Coordinates of all heavy atoms in Angstrom, one line a residue:
M1 N 0.9 -1.2 0.0 CA 0.0 0.0 0.0 C 0.9 1.2 0.0 O 1.9 1.3 0.7 CB -0.9 0.0 1.2 CG -1.7 1.2 1.4 SD -2.8 1.6 0.1 CE -4.1 0.4 0.4
S2 N 0.5 2.2 -0.8 CA 1.2 3.4 -0.8 C 0.2 4.6 -1.0 O -0.8 4.4 -1.6 CB 2.2 3.4 -2.0 OG 2.9 4.7 -2.1
V3 N 0.5 5.7 -0.4 CA -0.3 6.9 -0.7 C 0.5 7.8 -1.5 O 0.4 9.0 -1.4 CB -0.7 7.5 0.7 CG1 -1.7 8.7 0.4 CG2 -1.4 6.5 1.6
D4 N 1.2 7.3 -2.4 CA 1.9 8.1 -3.4 C 1.9 7.3 -4.7 O 2.0 6.1 -4.7 CB 3.4 8.3 -3.0 CG 3.6 9.5 -2.1 OD1 2.9 10.5 -2.3 OD2 4.5 9.4 -1.2
G5 N 1.8 8.0 -5.8 CA 1.8 7.5 -7.1 C 3.1 8.0 -7.8 O 3.0 8.5 -9.0
L6 N 4.2 8.0 -7.1 CA 5.4 8.5 -7.6 C 5.9 7.5 -8.7 O 5.6 6.3 -8.6 CB 6.5 8.7 -6.5 CG 6.1 9.7 -5.4 CD1 7.1 9.6 -4.3 CD2 6.0 11.1 -6.0
P7 N 6.8 7.9 -9.6 CA 7.3 6.9 -10.6 C 7.8 5.6 -10.0 O 7.6 4.5 -10.5 CB 8.4 7.7 -11.3 CG 7.9 9.1 -11.2 CD 7.3 9.2 -9.8
A8 N 8.6 5.7 -8.9 CA 9.1 4.5 -8.2 C 8.0 3.6 -7.8 O 8.1 2.3 -7.9 CB 10.0 4.9 -7.1
Q9 N 6.9 4.1 -7.2 CA 5.8 3.3 -6.7 C 5.0 2.7 -7.9 O 4.4 1.7 -7.7 CB 4.9 4.1 -5.7 CG 5.5 4.2 -4.4 CD 6.5 5.3 -4.3 OE1 6.4 6.4 -5.0 NE2 7.6 5.2 -3.5
L10 N 4.9 3.4 -9.0 CA 4.1 3.0 -10.1 C 4.7 1.6 -10.6 O 3.9 0.8 -11.1 CB 4.1 4.0 -11.2 CG 3.4 5.3 -10.9 CD1 3.5 6.3 -12.1 CD2 2.0 5.1 -10.5
T11 N 6.0 1.4 -10.5 CA 6.6 0.1 -10.9 C 6.1 -1.0 -10.0 O 6.1 -2.2 -10.5 CB 8.1 0.2 -10.9 OG1 8.6 0.4 -9.6 CG2 8.6 1.2 -11.9
Y12 N 5.7 -0.7 -8.8 CA 5.1 -1.8 -8.0 C 3.9 -2.4 -8.6 O 3.6 -3.6 -8.5 CB 4.8 -1.3 -6.6 CG 5.9 -0.7 -5.8 CD1 5.6 0.1 -4.6 CD2 7.2 -0.9 -6.1 CE1 6.6 0.7 -3.9 CE2 8.2 -0.3 -5.3 CZ 7.9 0.4 -4.2 OH 8.9 1.0 -3.4
V13 N 3.1 -1.5 -9.2 CA 1.9 -2.0 -9.9 C 2.2 -2.7 -11.2 O 1.8 -3.8 -11.5 CB 0.9 -0.8 -10.2 CG1 -0.3 -1.3 -11.0 CG2 0.5 -0.2 -8.9
T14 N 3.1 -2.1 -12.0 CA 3.4 -2.7 -13.3 C 4.1 -4.0 -13.2 O 3.9 -4.9 -14.0 CB 4.2 -1.7 -14.2 OG1 5.4 -1.3 -13.5 CG2 3.4 -0.5 -14.6
D15 N 4.9 -4.1 -12.1 CA 5.7 -5.4 -11.9 C 4.8 -6.4 -11.2 O 5.3 -7.6 -11.0 CB 6.9 -5.1 -11.1 CG 8.0 -4.3 -11.9 OD1 7.8 -4.2 -13.1 OD2 8.9 -3.8 -11.3
G16 N 3.6 -6.1 -10.7 CA 2.7 -7.0 -10.1 C 3.0 -7.2 -8.6 O 2.5 -8.1 -8.0
H17 N 3.8 -6.4 -8.0 CA 4.1 -6.5 -6.5 C 2.9 -6.1 -5.7 O 2.7 -6.6 -4.6 CB 5.3 -5.7 -6.1 CG 6.6 -6.1 -6.7 ND1 7.2 -7.4 -6.5 CD2 7.4 -5.6 -7.7 CE1 8.3 -7.5 -7.2 NE2 8.4 -6.4 -7.9
V18 N 2.1 -5.1 -6.2 CA 0.9 -4.7 -5.5 C -0.2 -4.6 -6.6 O 0.0 -4.4 -7.7 CB 1.0 -3.4 -4.8 CG1 2.1 -3.4 -3.7 CG2 1.3 -2.2 -5.7
E19 N -1.5 -4.8 -6.1 CA -2.6 -4.7 -7.0 C -3.0 -3.2 -7.3 O -3.5 -2.9 -8.4 CB -3.8 -5.5 -6.5 CG -3.5 -7.0 -6.5 CD -4.7 -7.7 -6.0 OE1 -5.8 -7.2 -6.0 OE2 -4.5 -8.9 -5.6
E20 N -2.8 -2.4 -6.3 CA -3.2 -1.0 -6.5 C -2.5 0.0 -5.5 O -2.0 -0.5 -4.5 CB -4.7 -0.8 -6.3 CG -5.2 -1.0 -4.9 CD -6.7 -0.9 -4.8 OE1 -7.5 -1.3 -5.7 OE2 -7.1 -0.4 -3.7
L21 N -2.4 1.2 -5.9 CA -1.9 2.3 -5.1 C -3.0 3.3 -4.9 O -3.9 3.4 -5.8 CB -0.7 3.0 -5.8 CG 0.5 2.2 -6.2 CD1 1.4 3.1 -7.1 CD2 1.2 1.6 -5.0
L22 N -3.0 4.0 -3.8 CA -3.9 5.1 -3.6 C -3.0 6.3 -3.7 O -2.2 6.6 -2.7 CB -4.6 5.0 -2.2 CG -5.5 3.8 -2.1 CD1 -6.1 3.7 -0.7 CD2 -6.6 3.8 -3.1
A23 N -3.1 7.0 -4.8 CA -2.2 8.1 -5.1 C -2.8 9.5 -4.7 O -3.9 9.8 -5.1 CB -1.8 8.1 -6.5
Q24 N -2.0 10.3 -4.0 CA -2.4 11.6 -3.7 C -1.9 12.5 -4.9 O -1.0 12.2 -5.6 CB -1.8 12.1 -2.4 CG -0.3 12.0 -2.2 CD 0.1 12.4 -0.8 OE1 -0.5 13.3 -0.2 NE2 1.2 11.8 -0.4
D25 N -2.6 13.6 -5.1 CA -2.3 14.5 -6.2 C -1.1 15.4 -5.7 O -1.3 16.5 -5.2 CB -3.5 15.3 -6.5 CG -3.3 16.3 -7.7 OD1 -2.2 16.3 -8.2 OD2 -4.2 17.1 -8.0
C26 N 0.1 14.9 -5.9 CA 1.3 15.7 -5.4 C 1.4 17.1 -6.0 O 1.5 18.0 -5.3 CB 2.6 14.9 -5.7 SG 2.7 13.3 -4.9
Y27 N 1.3 17.1 -7.3 CA 1.4 18.5 -7.9 C 0.2 19.3 -7.5 O 0.4 20.5 -7.2 CB 1.4 18.3 -9.4 CG 1.5 19.6 -10.2 CD1 2.7 20.2 -10.4 CD2 0.3 20.2 -10.6 CE1 2.7 21.4 -11.1 CE2 0.3 21.4 -11.3 CZ 1.6 22.0 -11.5 OH 1.6 23.2 -12.2
G28 N -1.0 18.8 -7.6 CA -2.2 19.6 -7.2 C -2.1 20.1 -5.8 O -2.5 21.2 -5.5
W29 N -1.6 19.3 -4.9 CA -1.6 19.7 -3.5 C -0.6 20.8 -3.3 O -0.8 21.7 -2.5 CB -1.3 18.5 -2.5 CG -2.6 18.1 -1.9 CD1 -3.2 16.9 -2.1 CD2 -3.4 18.8 -1.0 NE1 -4.4 16.9 -1.4 CE2 -4.5 18.0 -0.7 CE3 -3.3 20.1 -0.5 CZ2 -5.5 18.4 0.1 CZ3 -4.4 20.5 0.4 CH2 -5.4 19.7 0.6
G30 N 0.5 20.8 -4.0 CA 1.5 21.9 -3.9 C 0.8 23.2 -4.4 O 1.0 24.2 -3.8
H31 N 0.1 23.1 -5.5 CA -0.5 24.2 -6.1 C -1.6 24.7 -5.1 O -1.8 25.9 -4.8 CB -1.1 23.9 -7.4 CG -1.8 25.0 -8.1 ND1 -3.1 25.4 -8.0 CD2 -1.2 25.9 -9.0 CE1 -3.4 26.4 -8.7 NE2 -2.2 26.8 -9.3
K32 N -2.5 23.8 -4.6 CA -3.6 24.1 -3.8 C -3.1 24.8 -2.4 O -3.7 25.7 -1.9 CB -4.4 22.9 -3.5 CG -5.7 23.2 -2.7 CD -6.5 21.9 -2.5 CE -7.0 21.4 -3.8 NZ -7.9 20.3 -3.7
S33 N -2.0 24.3 -1.9 CA -1.4 24.8 -0.7 C -1.0 26.3 -0.8 O -1.3 27.1 0.0 CB -0.2 24.0 -0.2 OG -0.6 22.7 0.0
V34 N -0.3 26.5 -1.9 CA 0.2 27.9 -2.2 C -1.1 28.8 -2.4 O -1.1 29.9 -1.9 CB 1.1 27.9 -3.4 CG1 1.4 29.4 -3.8 CG2 2.4 27.2 -3.1
E35 N -2.0 28.3 -3.1 CA -3.3 29.1 -3.4 C -4.0 29.4 -2.1 O -4.4 30.6 -1.9 CB -4.2 28.2 -4.2 CG -5.3 29.0 -5.0 CD -6.0 28.0 -5.9 OE1 -6.6 27.0 -5.5 OE2 -5.9 28.3 -7.1
M36 N -4.1 28.5 -1.1 CA -4.7 28.7 0.2 C -3.9 29.7 1.0 O -4.5 30.6 1.6 CB -4.9 27.4 0.9 CG -6.0 26.6 0.4 SD -6.5 25.1 1.4 CE -5.0 24.1 1.3
L37 N -2.6 29.6 0.9 CA -1.7 30.5 1.7 C -1.9 31.9 1.1 O -1.9 32.9 1.9 CB -0.3 30.1 1.6 CG 0.1 28.9 2.5 CD1 1.5 28.4 2.1 CD2 0.0 29.2 4.0
M38 N -1.9 32.1 -0.2 CA -2.0 33.4 -0.8 C -3.4 34.0 -0.5 O -3.4 35.2 -0.2 CB -1.8 33.3 -2.3 CG -0.4 33.0 -2.8 SD 0.8 34.2 -2.2 CE 0.3 35.7 -3.0
E39 N -4.4 33.2 -0.5 CA -5.7 33.7 -0.1 C -5.7 34.2 1.3 O -6.3 35.3 1.6 CB -6.8 32.6 -0.3 CG -7.3 32.4 -1.7 CD -8.0 33.6 -2.2 OE1 -8.9 34.2 -1.6 OE2 -7.7 34.0 -3.4
K40 N -5.0 33.5 2.2 CA -5.0 33.9 3.6 C -4.2 35.2 3.8 O -4.6 36.1 4.5 CB -4.4 32.8 4.4 CG -4.2 33.1 5.9 CD -5.6 33.2 6.6 CE -5.4 33.4 8.1 NZ -6.7 33.7 8.7
I41 N -3.0 35.2 3.1 CA -2.1 36.4 3.3 C -2.7 37.6 2.6 O -2.7 38.7 3.2 CB -0.7 36.0 2.7 CG1 -0.1 35.0 3.6 CG2 0.2 37.3 2.7 CD1 1.1 34.3 3.0
V42 N -3.1 37.5 1.3 CA -3.5 38.6 0.5 C -4.9 39.1 0.8 O -5.2 40.3 1.0 CB -3.3 38.3 -1.0 CG1 -3.8 39.5 -1.8 CG2 -1.8 38.1 -1.3
N43 N -5.8 38.1 0.9 CA -7.2 38.4 1.0 C -7.8 38.2 2.4 O -9.0 38.3 2.6 CB -8.1 37.6 0.0 CG -7.6 38.0 -1.4 OD1 -7.3 39.2 -1.7 ND2 -7.6 37.0 -2.3
K44 N -6.9 37.7 3.4 CA -7.4 37.4 4.7 C -8.5 36.4 4.7 O -9.4 36.4 5.6 CB -7.8 38.7 5.5 CG -6.8 39.8 5.4 CD -5.6 39.5 6.3 CE -4.7 40.8 6.4 NZ -3.5 40.6 5.8
K45 N -8.5 35.5 3.8 CA -9.6 34.5 3.6 C -9.1 33.1 4.1 O -8.1 32.6 3.6 CB -10.0 34.4 2.2 CG -11.2 33.5 1.9 CD -11.6 33.5 0.4 CE -12.6 32.5 0.1 NZ -12.9 32.4 -1.3
D46 N -9.9 32.6 5.0 CA -9.5 31.2 5.6 C -10.0 30.1 4.6 O -10.9 30.4 3.7 CB -10.3 31.0 6.9 CG -9.7 31.8 8.0 OD1 -8.5 32.2 8.0 OD2 -10.5 32.2 8.9
P47 N -9.3 29.0 4.6 CA -9.7 27.8 3.8 C -11.2 27.5 4.1 O -11.7 27.9 5.2 CB -8.8 26.7 4.2 CG -7.6 27.4 4.8 CD -8.2 28.6 5.5
P48 N -11.9 26.8 3.2 CA -13.3 26.4 3.4 C -13.5 25.7 4.7 O -14.6 25.7 5.3 CB -13.6 25.6 2.2 CG -12.4 25.3 1.5 CD -11.3 26.2 2.0
S49 N -12.5 24.9 5.2 CA -12.6 24.2 6.5 C -11.3 24.1 7.1 O -10.2 24.3 6.4 CB -13.3 22.8 6.3 OG -12.4 22.0 5.5
V50 N -11.2 23.7 8.4 CA -10.0 23.6 9.1 C -9.2 22.4 8.5 O -8.0 22.4 8.4 CB -10.2 23.4 10.6 CG1 -8.9 23.1 11.3 CG2 -10.9 24.6 11.2
K51 N -9.9 21.4 8.1 CA -9.3 20.2 7.6 C -9.7 20.0 6.1 O -10.9 19.9 5.8 CB -9.8 19.0 8.3 CG -9.1 17.7 8.0 CD -9.6 16.6 9.0 CE -8.9 15.3 8.8 NZ -9.4 14.3 9.8
V52 N -8.8 20.1 5.2 CA -9.0 20.0 3.8 C -8.6 18.6 3.3 O -7.4 18.3 3.4 CB -8.3 21.1 3.0 CG1 -8.6 21.0 1.5 CG2 -8.7 22.5 3.5
I53 N -9.5 17.9 2.8 CA -9.2 16.5 2.4 C -9.4 16.4 0.8 O -10.5 16.8 0.3 CB -10.1 15.5 3.1 CG1 -9.9 15.5 4.6 CG2 -9.9 14.1 2.5 CD1 -10.8 14.7 5.4
D54 N -8.4 15.9 0.2 CA -8.4 15.8 -1.3 C -8.6 14.3 -1.6 O -8.0 13.5 -0.9 CB -7.1 16.3 -1.9 CG -7.3 16.7 -3.3 OD1 -8.3 17.3 -3.7 OD2 -6.4 16.4 -4.1
P55 N -9.4 13.9 -2.5 CA -9.6 12.5 -2.8 C -8.3 11.9 -3.4 O -7.5 12.5 -4.0 CB -10.7 12.5 -3.9 CG -10.7 13.8 -4.5 CD -10.2 14.8 -3.4
L56 N -8.2 10.6 -3.1 CA -7.1 9.8 -3.6 C -7.5 9.2 -4.9 O -8.6 8.9 -5.1 CB -6.6 8.7 -2.6 CG -6.2 9.3 -1.2 CD1 -6.0 8.1 -0.3 CD2 -4.9 10.1 -1.4
T57 N -6.5 8.9 -5.8 CA -6.8 8.2 -7.1 C -6.3 6.8 -6.9 O -5.1 6.6 -6.5 CB -6.0 8.9 -8.2 OG1 -6.4 10.3 -8.3 CG2 -6.2 8.2 -9.5
T58 N -7.1 5.9 -7.3 CA -6.8 4.5 -7.3 C -6.0 4.2 -8.6 O -6.5 4.4 -9.7 CB -8.0 3.6 -7.2 OG1 -8.7 3.9 -6.0 CG2 -7.6 2.1 -7.1
V59 N -4.8 3.7 -8.4 CA -3.9 3.3 -9.6 C -3.8 1.8 -9.6 O -3.3 1.2 -8.7 CB -2.6 4.0 -9.5 CG1 -1.7 3.7 -10.7 CG2 -2.7 5.5 -9.3
T60 N -4.2 1.2 -10.7 CA -4.1 -0.2 -11.0 C -3.4 -0.5 -12.3 O -3.1 0.5 -13.0 CB -5.6 -0.8 -11.0 OG1 -6.2 -0.3 -12.2 CG2 -6.4 -0.5 -9.7
K61 N -3.3 -1.8 -12.6 CA -2.7 -2.1 -13.9 C -3.5 -1.5 -15.1 O -3.0 -1.2 -16.1 CB -2.6 -3.6 -14.1 CG -1.4 -4.2 -13.4 CD -1.1 -5.6 -13.9 CE 0.2 -6.0 -13.2 NZ 0.8 -7.1 -13.8
A62 N -4.8 -1.3 -14.9 CA -5.7 -0.8 -15.9 C -5.4 0.7 -16.2 O -5.6 1.1 -17.4 CB -7.2 -1.0 -15.5
N63 N -4.9 1.4 -15.3 CA -4.7 2.9 -15.5 C -3.3 3.4 -15.2 O -3.1 4.6 -15.2 CB -5.8 3.7 -14.8 CG -5.6 3.6 -13.3 OD1 -4.9 2.8 -12.7 ND2 -6.3 4.6 -12.6
V64 N -2.4 2.5 -14.8 CA -1.1 2.9 -14.4 C -0.3 3.7 -15.5 O 0.3 4.7 -15.2 CB -0.2 1.8 -13.8 CG1 0.1 0.8 -14.9 CG2 1.0 2.3 -13.1
D65 N -0.4 3.2 -16.7 CA 0.3 3.9 -17.8 C -0.3 5.3 -18.1 O 0.5 6.3 -18.3 CB 0.2 3.1 -19.1 CG 1.0 1.8 -19.0 OD1 2.0 1.8 -18.3 OD2 0.6 0.8 -19.7
E66 N -1.6 5.5 -18.0 CA -2.2 6.8 -18.1 C -1.9 7.7 -17.0 O -1.6 8.9 -17.2 CB -3.8 6.6 -18.2 CG -4.5 7.9 -18.7 CD -4.1 8.3 -20.1 OE1 -3.8 7.5 -21.0 OE2 -4.1 9.5 -20.3
Y67 N -1.9 7.1 -15.8 CA -1.5 7.9 -14.6 C 0.0 8.4 -14.7 O 0.3 9.5 -14.3 CB -1.7 7.2 -13.3 CG -1.5 8.0 -12.1 CD1 -2.6 8.8 -11.6 CD2 -0.3 8.1 -11.4 CE1 -2.4 9.6 -10.5 CE2 -0.1 8.9 -10.3 CZ -1.1 9.7 -9.9 OH -0.9 10.5 -8.8
A68 N 0.8 7.5 -15.2 CA 2.3 7.8 -15.3 C 2.5 9.1 -16.2 O 3.4 9.8 -16.0 CB 3.0 6.6 -15.8
K69 N 1.6 9.3 -17.2 CA 1.8 10.4 -18.1 C 1.6 11.7 -17.3 O 2.2 12.8 -17.7 CB 0.7 10.4 -19.2 CG 0.9 9.2 -20.2 CD -0.2 9.2 -21.2 CE 0.0 8.0 -22.1 NZ -1.1 7.9 -23.0
N70 N 0.9 11.7 -16.2 CA 0.9 12.9 -15.3 C 2.2 13.5 -14.9 O 2.5 14.7 -14.9 CB 0.0 12.7 -14.1 CG -1.4 12.5 -14.3 OD1 -2.0 13.2 -15.2 ND2 -2.1 11.6 -13.6
W71 N 3.1 12.5 -14.6 CA 4.5 12.9 -14.2 C 5.2 13.7 -15.3 O 5.9 14.6 -15.0 CB 5.2 11.7 -13.6 CG 4.7 11.4 -12.3 CD1 3.9 10.4 -12.0 CD2 5.0 12.2 -11.1 NE1 3.6 10.4 -10.6 CE2 4.2 11.5 -10.1 CE3 5.7 13.3 -10.8 CZ2 4.2 12.0 -8.8 CZ3 5.7 13.8 -9.5 CH2 5.0 13.1 -8.5
D72 N 5.0 13.2 -16.5 CA 5.7 13.9 -17.6 C 5.1 15.4 -17.7 O 5.9 16.3 -17.9 CB 5.4 13.2 -19.0 CG 6.1 11.9 -19.1 OD1 7.2 11.7 -18.3 OD2 5.7 11.0 -19.8
K73 N 3.8 15.5 -17.6 CA 3.2 16.8 -17.6 C 3.7 17.7 -16.4 O 4.1 18.8 -16.6 CB 1.7 16.7 -17.6 CG 0.9 18.0 -17.6 CD -0.6 17.7 -17.6 CE -1.0 17.0 -16.4 NZ -2.5 16.8 -16.3
W74 N 3.6 17.1 -15.2 CA 4.0 17.8 -14.0 C 5.5 18.2 -14.0 O 5.8 19.3 -13.5 CB 3.7 17.0 -12.8 CG 2.2 16.8 -12.5 CD1 1.2 17.5 -13.0 CD2 1.6 15.7 -11.8 NE1 0.0 16.9 -12.6 CE2 0.2 15.8 -11.9 CE3 2.2 14.6 -11.1 CZ2 -0.6 14.9 -11.3 CZ3 1.3 13.7 -10.5 CH2 -0.1 13.8 -10.6
L75 N 6.3 17.4 -14.5 CA 7.7 17.7 -14.5 C 8.2 18.4 -15.8 O 9.4 18.7 -16.0 CB 8.5 16.4 -14.4 CG 8.3 15.7 -13.0 CD1 9.0 14.3 -13.0 CD2 8.7 16.5 -11.9
G76 N 7.3 18.7 -16.7 CA 7.6 19.5 -17.9 C 8.4 18.7 -18.9 O 9.2 19.3 -19.6
K77 N 8.2 17.4 -19.0 CA 8.9 16.6 -19.9 C 8.2 16.5 -21.3 O 7.1 16.6 -21.4 CB 9.1 15.2 -19.4 CG 10.0 15.1 -18.2 CD 10.2 13.7 -17.8 CE 11.1 13.6 -16.6 NZ 11.3 12.2 -16.1

């Protein structure tokens, strides 16, 4: 089990070591965190709730190749 869909963990799925990963949106969370901080600093606006939960993406053999393409996009490849 992993809560990351990093390139290294994606190989666990493709190699058959695990059936699925629950991947957090690493790039999206970085962007969202900065966005919330800027709203707080610039506009004095609090996040919608004290606890912000983002859904996890299930990565399996059926979608691992498609999910891996996100890393090329996120890393500007």
Side-chain angles (χ1 to χ4, degrees):
M1 173 60 75
S2 176
V3 185
D4 276 324
L6 301 171
Q9 283 81 34
L10 295 178
T11 63
Y12 301 164
V13 175
T14 57
D15 293 346
H17 296 293
V18 299
E19 291 182 20
E20 66 181 38
L21 302 173
L22 297 177
Q24 56 186 328
D25 181 3
C26 297
Y27 178 85
W29 260 112
H31 184 270
K32 190 178 292 186
S33 298
V34 171
E35 199 172 62
M36 287 188 294
L37 286 169
M38 291 301 296
E39 281 293 313
K40 178 67 173 172
I41 294 166
V42 175
N43 299 322
K44 310 289 189 245
K45 183 178 175 186
D46 290 330
S49 67
V50 175
K51 188 176 186 179
V52 179
I53 299 174
D54 202 43
L56 300 173
T57 301
T58 302
V59 181
T60 65
K61 280 195 175 198
N63 68 345
V64 68
D65 293 331
E66 192 63 32
Y67 187 85
K69 292 176 186 176
N70 288 323
W71 284 102
D72 291 337
K73 178 177 64 176
W74 295 335
L75 298 174
K77 291 184 178 180

